[in-house]
Amino acid sequence: MITLSGIEVPSTHLSGNDILVTATTSGAPADSFAYQILLKITSPEGELDGAPFVAAITPDADGKAVFNLSGYVDQRFEKAIKWPVPGQYNGKVTAYQNGSYPIWLYPGESYIDKNDGQLKEIYQNPVEPIFIIKGRLPDLKLAQLNDEGKTFFSKYCGEGKFFSFMPTEQQVTPYQPVKLWWIPPSTLGAVSTKLKYYIGGGSQTITIHSGGLWMDILYEIDCHAQNAGVPLVDGSGNRLEKYEVWIEGGEITTEKRTFVVNWTPPRENYYYLFADNRIGGMECISLTGAKKFNPQGERIMARRPFRAGAGVQIPSQIPTSAKRTKRWTINSGYKPKAELEAMDFLLDAQHAWLALPPDDGSTDISTYRLVPVNIVSTSLQLTDDSNMVESVDIEIEEAY
């Protein structure tokens, strides 16, 4: 008999961090040798590439074996960006069913029967479900959770913390496509996503989504003010000051995220950088400072003999291969230091996209052009002085 411990069922885990499961045996059968504890990892919906996997470990003196699931379940997941249709906004909450997938764990044992010399493999009923999302917490964040006696599941899902590294109060442009990402700790039957906005000295709370949320689905919450039907300017000419977003209902209330609207015009245009933060979410960073466009090219040159009688239009050195890459350096614009410090996640972001404004200078995000990019910056230097705001340059290159 094999029992599994050390992992909560059901629960959600980041694939890139250690996912440890302890298997304990009641003892090897009589007349057996070469005894091992087995753990079969399957994906009932076929979302885990290469599954089923079988791991085998010889138990220690206490009859225990510790399995790390991370190496089996850490696979690539392409996260799309929901882009608005020109002239209309729709879809406040988007569900990504493939953003989280279940795995089942079958504990088992193998041994050679001394009576017939045959290898025996026996599996028990599965322990399920356990949900996996692509990502990895940085070591420092993981260490902080360990000191608190918490896990990614208990902190982010159980306590209603959105999948974001940005501070709970963030500065945004009036037109910024703000998004939040979350997976609930259990299936929630009736919850509401609330947005409270402040304008002209007053405030109003609206519901931008209501209904059930399932713990096996990754949710993208579109908090874009215009998408939610919030006026940027009221009838008296007052501008939107800030808005708050949270989810509430019965069993849980998430943290409240506050977005302070900065109406300061950009140096040139509003640029937006989307980056996968590797904990299941995607951050949108507004870039409002100066932009430099500095495309780069590379050529491999070959020399051929000068041909007799050749004129000046016939070269003797020619490129045999060439490529060019678009590259931008865009300043973040002045932001609170807490935001800039949180942006260090950009330095190891594996997937990013740059939203480029149209030539006519429109601020309508649906008219922007989305380009996959790599973040070239290797550091974000901040000066520790008395200023509460600062800016940084971010180097980005086209990912083609």
Short mmCIF file of all heavy atoms in Angstrom, two decimals, residues 12 14 17 133 136-138 141-142 144-145 148 150-166 181-185 252-255 257 277 279-281 283:
data_model
loop_
_atom_site.label_atom_id
_atom_site.label_comp_id
_atom_site.label_asym_id
_atom_site.label_seq_id
_atom_site.Cartn_x
_atom_site.Cartn_y
_atom_site.Cartn_z
N THR A 12 -3.27 24.22 -7.12
CA THR A 12 -2.67 24.72 -8.37
C THR A 12 -1.20 25.03 -8.13
O THR A 12 -0.85 25.60 -7.09
CB THR A 12 -3.41 25.98 -8.85
OG1 THR A 12 -4.78 25.66 -9.11
CG2 THR A 12 -2.79 26.53 -10.13
N LEU A 14 2.85 26.12 -9.96
CA LEU A 14 3.67 26.62 -11.07
C LEU A 14 4.61 25.50 -11.50
O LEU A 14 5.31 24.90 -10.68
CB LEU A 14 4.46 27.84 -10.64
CG LEU A 14 3.65 29.12 -10.40
CD1 LEU A 14 4.51 30.18 -9.73
CD2 LEU A 14 3.07 29.66 -11.70
N ASN A 17 8.67 25.55 -10.57
CA ASN A 17 9.16 25.39 -9.20
C ASN A 17 9.01 23.94 -8.75
O ASN A 17 8.21 23.19 -9.32
CB ASN A 17 8.39 26.31 -8.25
CG ASN A 17 8.65 27.78 -8.51
OD1 ASN A 17 7.73 28.54 -8.78
ND2 ASN A 17 9.91 28.18 -8.44
N ILE A 133 0.03 25.29 -13.99
CA ILE A 133 0.14 26.43 -14.91
C ILE A 133 1.62 26.67 -15.20
O ILE A 133 2.48 26.43 -14.35
CB ILE A 133 -0.52 27.72 -14.36
CG1 ILE A 133 0.07 28.13 -13.02
CG2 ILE A 133 -2.02 27.55 -14.25
CD1 ILE A 133 -0.51 29.43 -12.50
N ARG A 136 7.12 30.16 -13.09
CA ARG A 136 8.11 29.93 -12.05
C ARG A 136 8.25 31.17 -11.19
O ARG A 136 8.47 32.28 -11.72
CB ARG A 136 9.46 29.56 -12.66
CG ARG A 136 10.54 29.26 -11.65
CD ARG A 136 11.88 28.98 -12.32
NE ARG A 136 12.89 28.60 -11.35
CZ ARG A 136 13.58 29.46 -10.61
NH1 ARG A 136 13.39 30.77 -10.74
NH2 ARG A 136 14.49 29.02 -9.75
N LEU A 137 8.12 31.02 -9.90
CA LEU A 137 8.39 32.12 -8.98
C LEU A 137 9.89 32.30 -8.82
O LEU A 137 10.63 31.30 -8.72
CB LEU A 137 7.79 31.84 -7.61
CG LEU A 137 6.36 32.30 -7.31
CD1 LEU A 137 5.93 31.79 -5.94
CD2 LEU A 137 6.23 33.80 -7.39
N PRO A 138 10.38 33.55 -8.79
CA PRO A 138 11.81 33.75 -8.50
C PRO A 138 12.16 33.18 -7.13
O PRO A 138 11.31 33.08 -6.23
CB PRO A 138 11.94 35.29 -8.52
CG PRO A 138 10.78 35.78 -9.31
CD PRO A 138 9.67 34.81 -9.06
N LYS A 141 11.16 35.31 -4.03
CA LYS A 141 9.73 35.28 -3.74
C LYS A 141 9.35 33.93 -3.11
O LYS A 141 8.54 33.88 -2.18
CB LYS A 141 8.93 35.50 -5.02
CG LYS A 141 9.08 36.89 -5.64
CD LYS A 141 8.31 37.91 -4.86
CE LYS A 141 8.35 39.27 -5.58
NZ LYS A 141 7.64 40.32 -4.80
N LEU A 142 9.93 32.87 -3.64
CA LEU A 142 9.64 31.54 -3.11
C LEU A 142 10.14 31.42 -1.68
O LEU A 142 9.45 30.87 -0.81
CB LEU A 142 10.29 30.48 -4.00
CG LEU A 142 9.87 29.03 -3.78
CD1 LEU A 142 8.39 28.84 -4.00
CD2 LEU A 142 10.67 28.11 -4.69
N GLN A 144 10.49 33.85 0.46
CA GLN A 144 9.60 34.66 1.31
C GLN A 144 8.33 33.89 1.65
O GLN A 144 7.85 33.93 2.79
CB GLN A 144 9.29 35.98 0.62
CG GLN A 144 10.49 36.91 0.52
CD GLN A 144 10.24 38.12 -0.38
OE1 GLN A 144 9.32 38.13 -1.20
NE2 GLN A 144 11.05 39.14 -0.22
N LEU A 145 7.78 33.19 0.67
CA LEU A 145 6.60 32.37 0.93
C LEU A 145 6.92 31.26 1.93
O LEU A 145 6.12 30.96 2.82
CB LEU A 145 6.05 31.77 -0.37
CG LEU A 145 5.34 32.71 -1.34
CD1 LEU A 145 4.87 31.94 -2.57
CD2 LEU A 145 4.16 33.40 -0.68
N GLU A 148 6.87 32.46 5.34
CA GLU A 148 5.51 32.71 5.81
C GLU A 148 4.73 31.42 6.02
O GLU A 148 3.59 31.45 6.49
CB GLU A 148 4.75 33.58 4.80
CG GLU A 148 5.32 34.98 4.62
CD GLU A 148 4.59 35.75 3.53
OE1 GLU A 148 3.43 35.40 3.21
OE2 GLU A 148 5.17 36.72 3.00
N LYS A 150 3.73 29.53 3.53
CA LYS A 150 2.71 29.54 2.49
C LYS A 150 3.27 29.01 1.19
O LYS A 150 4.48 28.84 1.03
CB LYS A 150 2.16 30.96 2.30
CG LYS A 150 1.48 31.52 3.54
CD LYS A 150 0.99 32.94 3.34
CE LYS A 150 0.31 33.47 4.59
NZ LYS A 150 -0.14 34.86 4.43
N THR A 151 2.38 28.76 0.25
CA THR A 151 2.75 28.29 -1.08
C THR A 151 2.16 29.24 -2.11
O THR A 151 1.36 30.13 -1.78
CB THR A 151 2.21 26.87 -1.33
OG1 THR A 151 0.76 26.92 -1.29
CG2 THR A 151 2.71 25.90 -0.27
N PHE A 152 2.53 29.02 -3.36
CA PHE A 152 1.92 29.81 -4.43
C PHE A 152 0.40 29.65 -4.39
O PHE A 152 -0.34 30.63 -4.51
CB PHE A 152 2.45 29.36 -5.79
CG PHE A 152 1.71 29.96 -6.96
CD1 PHE A 152 2.00 31.24 -7.39
CD2 PHE A 152 0.72 29.24 -7.61
CE1 PHE A 152 1.30 31.80 -8.46
CE2 PHE A 152 0.02 29.79 -8.67
CZ PHE A 152 0.32 31.08 -9.10
N PHE A 153 -0.06 28.43 -4.18
CA PHE A 153 -1.51 28.18 -4.18
C PHE A 153 -2.20 28.89 -3.02
O PHE A 153 -3.22 29.55 -3.21
CB PHE A 153 -1.77 26.68 -4.12
CG PHE A 153 -3.22 26.31 -4.05
CD1 PHE A 153 -4.07 26.57 -5.11
CD2 PHE A 153 -3.74 25.72 -2.91
CE1 PHE A 153 -5.42 26.23 -5.04
CE2 PHE A 153 -5.08 25.38 -2.83
CZ PHE A 153 -5.93 25.65 -3.90
N SER A 154 -1.64 28.78 -1.83
CA SER A 154 -2.31 29.38 -0.67
C SER A 154 -2.25 30.90 -0.72
O SER A 154 -3.20 31.58 -0.30
CB SER A 154 -1.68 28.88 0.63
OG SER A 154 -0.34 29.30 0.76
N LYS A 155 -1.16 31.47 -1.24
CA LYS A 155 -0.99 32.93 -1.26
C LYS A 155 -1.76 33.57 -2.41
O LYS A 155 -2.58 34.47 -2.21
CB LYS A 155 0.50 33.27 -1.36
CG LYS A 155 0.79 34.77 -1.38
CD LYS A 155 0.59 35.39 -0.02
CE LYS A 155 1.05 36.85 0.02
NZ LYS A 155 0.88 37.44 1.35
N TYR A 156 -1.49 33.10 -3.62
CA TYR A 156 -2.05 33.78 -4.78
C TYR A 156 -3.50 33.36 -5.04
O TYR A 156 -4.35 34.20 -5.34
CB TYR A 156 -1.19 33.53 -6.01
CG TYR A 156 0.08 34.35 -6.02
CD1 TYR A 156 1.21 33.93 -5.32
CD2 TYR A 156 0.16 35.55 -6.70
CE1 TYR A 156 2.37 34.68 -5.31
CE2 TYR A 156 1.31 36.31 -6.71
CZ TYR A 156 2.42 35.87 -6.00
OH TYR A 156 3.56 36.63 -5.98
N CYS A 157 -3.77 32.08 -4.96
CA CYS A 157 -5.14 31.62 -5.21
C CYS A 157 -5.99 31.74 -3.95
O CYS A 157 -7.05 32.36 -3.96
CB CYS A 157 -5.12 30.18 -5.70
SG CYS A 157 -4.17 29.90 -7.21
N GLY A 158 -5.51 31.17 -2.85
CA GLY A 158 -6.30 31.13 -1.63
C GLY A 158 -6.57 32.48 -1.01
O GLY A 158 -7.65 32.72 -0.47
N GLU A 159 -5.59 33.40 -1.08
CA GLU A 159 -5.78 34.72 -0.48
C GLU A 159 -6.24 35.76 -1.51
O GLU A 159 -6.35 36.95 -1.19
CB GLU A 159 -4.49 35.19 0.19
CG GLU A 159 -4.08 34.32 1.36
CD GLU A 159 -2.85 34.83 2.07
OE1 GLU A 159 -2.42 35.98 1.79
OE2 GLU A 159 -2.30 34.10 2.92
N GLY A 160 -6.50 35.31 -2.74
CA GLY A 160 -7.03 36.23 -3.74
C GLY A 160 -6.03 37.27 -4.22
O GLY A 160 -6.40 38.42 -4.48
N LYS A 161 -4.77 36.88 -4.37
CA LYS A 161 -3.76 37.79 -4.89
C LYS A 161 -3.65 37.58 -6.39
O LYS A 161 -3.39 36.48 -6.85
CB LYS A 161 -2.42 37.54 -4.21
CG LYS A 161 -1.31 38.48 -4.67
CD LYS A 161 -0.05 38.25 -3.86
CE LYS A 161 1.11 39.09 -4.40
NZ LYS A 161 0.82 40.54 -4.38
N PHE A 162 -3.85 38.65 -7.16
CA PHE A 162 -3.77 38.53 -8.61
C PHE A 162 -2.35 38.15 -9.03
O PHE A 162 -1.37 38.46 -8.35
CB PHE A 162 -4.20 39.84 -9.28
CG PHE A 162 -5.66 40.15 -9.12
CD1 PHE A 162 -6.08 41.22 -8.35
CD2 PHE A 162 -6.62 39.35 -9.72
CE1 PHE A 162 -7.43 41.50 -8.19
CE2 PHE A 162 -7.98 39.62 -9.58
CZ PHE A 162 -8.38 40.70 -8.80
N PHE A 163 -2.26 37.49 -10.19
CA PHE A 163 -0.97 37.00 -10.67
C PHE A 163 -0.18 38.17 -11.29
O PHE A 163 -0.06 38.30 -12.50
CB PHE A 163 -1.18 35.91 -11.71
CG PHE A 163 -1.86 34.67 -11.19
CD1 PHE A 163 -2.31 33.69 -12.07
CD2 PHE A 163 -2.08 34.48 -9.84
CE1 PHE A 163 -2.94 32.55 -11.60
CE2 PHE A 163 -2.71 33.34 -9.35
CZ PHE A 163 -3.13 32.37 -10.24
N SER A 164 0.36 39.00 -10.43
CA SER A 164 1.08 40.19 -10.89
C SER A 164 2.17 40.54 -9.90
O SER A 164 2.01 40.36 -8.68
CB SER A 164 0.12 41.37 -11.03
OG SER A 164 0.81 42.58 -11.32
N PHE A 165 3.30 41.05 -10.43
CA PHE A 165 4.38 41.55 -9.59
C PHE A 165 4.27 43.05 -9.34
O PHE A 165 5.01 43.60 -8.53
CB PHE A 165 5.74 41.27 -10.24
CG PHE A 165 6.14 39.82 -10.20
CD1 PHE A 165 6.59 39.18 -11.35
CD2 PHE A 165 6.08 39.10 -9.03
CE1 PHE A 165 6.98 37.84 -11.31
CE2 PHE A 165 6.46 37.77 -8.98
CZ PHE A 165 6.91 37.14 -10.13
N MET A 166 3.38 43.72 -10.05
CA MET A 166 3.25 45.16 -9.90
C MET A 166 2.61 45.50 -8.56
O MET A 166 1.86 44.70 -8.00
CB MET A 166 2.43 45.75 -11.05
CG MET A 166 3.03 45.50 -12.44
SD MET A 166 4.71 46.17 -12.61
CE MET A 166 4.38 47.93 -12.63
N TRP A 181 -4.89 38.84 -13.97
CA TRP A 181 -5.00 37.39 -14.21
C TRP A 181 -5.15 36.68 -12.88
O TRP A 181 -4.53 37.05 -11.88
CB TRP A 181 -3.75 36.89 -14.94
CG TRP A 181 -3.50 37.58 -16.24
CD1 TRP A 181 -3.02 38.85 -16.42
CD2 TRP A 181 -3.73 37.06 -17.55
NE1 TRP A 181 -2.93 39.13 -17.76
CE2 TRP A 181 -3.36 38.06 -18.47
CE3 TRP A 181 -4.20 35.84 -18.02
CZ2 TRP A 181 -3.45 37.89 -19.84
CZ3 TRP A 181 -4.29 35.66 -19.39
CH2 TRP A 181 -3.92 36.66 -20.29
N TRP A 182 -5.97 35.60 -12.87
CA TRP A 182 -6.21 34.91 -11.61
C TRP A 182 -6.82 33.54 -11.85
O TRP A 182 -7.50 33.31 -12.86
CB TRP A 182 -7.14 35.73 -10.72
CG TRP A 182 -7.24 35.23 -9.31
CD1 TRP A 182 -6.22 35.02 -8.42
CD2 TRP A 182 -8.44 34.90 -8.60
NE1 TRP A 182 -6.71 34.58 -7.21
CE2 TRP A 182 -8.07 34.51 -7.30
CE3 TRP A 182 -9.79 34.92 -8.95
CZ2 TRP A 182 -9.01 34.10 -6.35
CZ3 TRP A 182 -10.72 34.52 -8.01
CH2 TRP A 182 -10.33 34.12 -6.72
N ILE A 183 -6.57 32.62 -10.91
CA ILE A 183 -7.24 31.32 -10.84
C ILE A 183 -7.77 31.19 -9.41
O ILE A 183 -7.00 31.36 -8.45
CB ILE A 183 -6.28 30.16 -11.15
CG1 ILE A 183 -5.87 30.17 -12.63
CG2 ILE A 183 -6.92 28.82 -10.81
CD1 ILE A 183 -4.87 29.10 -12.99
N PRO A 184 -9.05 30.91 -9.21
CA PRO A 184 -9.59 30.78 -7.85
C PRO A 184 -9.10 29.51 -7.18
O PRO A 184 -8.67 28.56 -7.84
CB PRO A 184 -11.11 30.75 -8.08
CG PRO A 184 -11.28 30.22 -9.47
CD PRO A 184 -10.10 30.71 -10.24
N PRO A 185 -9.16 29.46 -5.83
CA PRO A 185 -8.68 28.29 -5.10
C PRO A 185 -9.65 27.11 -5.17
O PRO A 185 -9.28 25.99 -4.84
CB PRO A 185 -8.56 28.79 -3.66
CG PRO A 185 -9.58 29.88 -3.57
CD PRO A 185 -9.60 30.54 -4.92
N ILE A 252 -14.91 34.24 -1.01
CA ILE A 252 -13.62 34.92 -1.13
C ILE A 252 -13.80 36.33 -1.64
O ILE A 252 -14.74 36.65 -2.39
CB ILE A 252 -12.68 34.14 -2.09
CG1 ILE A 252 -11.25 34.63 -1.98
CG2 ILE A 252 -13.17 34.21 -3.53
CD1 ILE A 252 -10.24 33.74 -2.67
N THR A 253 -12.92 37.21 -1.19
CA THR A 253 -12.77 38.54 -1.76
C THR A 253 -11.29 38.73 -2.08
O THR A 253 -10.45 38.57 -1.19
CB THR A 253 -13.25 39.64 -0.79
OG1 THR A 253 -14.64 39.46 -0.52
CG2 THR A 253 -13.03 41.02 -1.39
N THR A 254 -10.99 39.04 -3.31
CA THR A 254 -9.59 39.20 -3.71
C THR A 254 -9.03 40.52 -3.19
O THR A 254 -9.76 41.36 -2.65
CB THR A 254 -9.45 39.16 -5.23
OG1 THR A 254 -10.07 40.34 -5.78
CG2 THR A 254 -10.09 37.93 -5.83
N GLU A 255 -7.74 40.68 -3.39
CA GLU A 255 -7.13 41.97 -3.11
C GLU A 255 -7.73 43.03 -4.03
O GLU A 255 -8.30 42.73 -5.08
CB GLU A 255 -5.62 41.89 -3.33
CG GLU A 255 -5.23 41.66 -4.78
CD GLU A 255 -3.73 41.68 -5.00
OE1 GLU A 255 -2.99 42.02 -4.07
OE2 GLU A 255 -3.29 41.35 -6.11
N ARG A 257 -7.03 46.17 -6.46
CA ARG A 257 -5.99 46.82 -7.26
C ARG A 257 -6.46 48.22 -7.64
O ARG A 257 -7.57 48.40 -8.16
CB ARG A 257 -5.70 46.02 -8.52
CG ARG A 257 -4.98 44.71 -8.27
CD ARG A 257 -3.48 44.92 -8.29
NE ARG A 257 -2.75 43.76 -7.78
CZ ARG A 257 -1.45 43.59 -7.95
NH1 ARG A 257 -0.75 44.49 -8.65
NH2 ARG A 257 -0.84 42.55 -7.46
N ASN A 277 4.76 37.46 -17.15
CA ASN A 277 5.53 37.59 -15.91
C ASN A 277 5.94 36.25 -15.31
O ASN A 277 6.51 36.21 -14.22
CB ASN A 277 4.77 38.43 -14.89
CG ASN A 277 3.44 37.80 -14.48
OD1 ASN A 277 3.18 36.62 -14.71
ND2 ASN A 277 2.58 38.60 -13.86
N ILE A 279 4.31 33.93 -13.83
CA ILE A 279 3.54 33.37 -12.73
C ILE A 279 2.07 33.25 -13.14
O ILE A 279 1.17 33.34 -12.32
CB ILE A 279 3.68 34.18 -11.42
CG1 ILE A 279 3.24 35.64 -11.61
CG2 ILE A 279 5.08 34.09 -10.89
CD1 ILE A 279 3.09 36.38 -10.29
N GLY A 280 1.86 33.06 -14.45
CA GLY A 280 0.51 32.88 -14.93
C GLY A 280 -0.15 34.14 -15.43
O GLY A 280 -1.24 34.09 -16.00
N GLY A 281 0.49 35.28 -15.23
CA GLY A 281 -0.11 36.55 -15.64
C GLY A 281 0.68 37.24 -16.73
O GLY A 281 1.74 36.78 -17.16
N GLU A 283 1.81 41.31 -17.68
CA GLU A 283 1.81 42.71 -17.26
C GLU A 283 1.75 43.62 -18.48
O GLU A 283 2.29 43.28 -19.54
CB GLU A 283 3.08 43.03 -16.47
CG GLU A 283 3.46 42.01 -15.41
CD GLU A 283 2.68 42.14 -14.12
OE1 GLU A 283 1.69 42.90 -14.09
OE2 GLU A 283 3.06 41.47 -13.14
#
